[in-house]
Amino acid sequence: ASSFGWLTEPLATRQPVNPDPGLINEDFKPTEASKRTFGVSDVAALWVGLVISVPAYYLAGSLVELGMSWWQGILTIFISNAIVLIPMILNAHSGTKYGVPFPVLTRAAFGIRGATIVGVLRGLVACVWFGIQTWVGGTSLLTLYEALAGPITAAPIAFLGGITGPQFGFFFVFWCIQVLILIKGIESIRIVEKYSAPILIGLSAALLVWAFWRANGLGPMLS
């Protein structure tokens, strides 16, 4: 048997029998195989959305700006992601096999009350990352608007943290777009990722061709 056979174990989802009403709700119940809608292509599309993003470009660009070469930056990101991948796979295995969400899984390690704290902490991290992504998305929308309609001159607003009105406006617009997708549930996220992945790949290829053309070759791009 393969040493990685545990990665292909059959699903073993079972609904709890006579659970404590205070420990379960519709979100905490195991998701049975018949109700799972994410296939291989959907997970691949989700991965494309995670990798091909402006924050990912920021990360690679910042490493080069700090003095790394292009290949050192790519290697650093690759190794970092490979290290993070190991606990992610281990954490996802039980959830995938038993259909149990993360807050329930953490009860085994942290207890019932401890799992609540872990869940809140994870939620706070998610809120911060949501804010970062929303700021980047809003800034991208503003950049596109200015490229089409011309630059917008606006003074910073103190009570908004020093950002301008247009920056806050496009931040809010992008926030609303994301919330509209989120409130419709995980299925809407699956659909958005499914159709956005090919677009992201196409735009990335077009960006690479444009950069190659403007730099007059691959050498100046990587120097």
Side-chain angles (χ1 to χ4, degrees):
S2 172
S3 58
F4 294 98
W6 58 275
L7 290 174
T8 57
E9 291 177 353
L11 302 180
T13 305
R14 292 179 298 179
Q15 295 298 330
V17 179
N18 297 324
D20 186 329
L23 300 179
I24 192 170
N25 56 37
E26 288 300 321
D27 293 325
F28 283 176
K29 287 182 178 180
T31 303
E32 298 178 357
S34 60
K35 297 181 180 179
R36 302 187 190 188
T37 58
F38 273 68
V40 174
S41 61
D42 298 308
V43 176
L46 178 62
W47 179 83
V48 170
L50 293 172
V51 173
I52 305 179
S53 63
V54 176
Y57 298 156
Y58 277 168
L59 179 59
S62 64
L63 293 178
V64 175
E65 186 178 5
L66 290 172
M68 289 187 177
S69 63
W70 67 269
W71 67 267
Q72 289 174 330
I74 293 177
L75 181 62
T76 299
I77 295 175
F78 176 81
I79 294 175
S80 301
N81 279 279
I83 294 174
V84 174
L85 180 64
I86 296 174
M88 289 180 65
I89 292 177
L90 294 175
N91 178 62
H93 173 255
S94 298
T96 303
K97 180 176 181 179
Y98 300 106
V100 181
F102 175 80
V104 176
L105 287 175
T106 53
R107 292 173 181 174
F110 299 96
I112 295 174
R113 295 183 179 179
T116 302
I117 298 175
V118 173
V120 171
L121 292 175
R122 191 185 190 192
L124 291 175
V125 173
C127 288
V128 172
W129 186 238
F130 179 84
I132 294 173
Q133 295 276 44
T134 305
W135 171 256
V136 171
T139 303
S140 300
L141 289 180
L142 177 58
T143 301
L144 289 173
Y145 177 84
E146 290 184 328
L148 296 174
I152 303 175
T153 303
I157 302 174
F159 75 90
L160 290 180
I163 66 175
T164 64
Q167 286 176 319
F168 177 78
F170 279 93
F171 172 87
F172 183 71
V173 168
F174 199 80
W175 181 90
C176 289
I177 293 173
Q178 292 188 100
V179 170
L180 287 175
I181 296 173
L182 292 174
I183 60 177
K184 293 183 178 298
I186 192 67
E187 185 64 15
S188 64
I189 297 176
R190 184 186 71 84
I191 294 174
V192 170
E193 293 287 358
K194 177 180 179 180
Y195 290 103
S196 63
I199 297 175
L200 288 172
I201 294 174
L203 291 177
S204 296
L207 179 62
L208 179 61
V209 172
W210 173 84
F212 181 88
W213 170 68
R214 290 299 299 266
N216 294 319
L218 191 62
M221 291 172 57
L222 303 178
S223 62

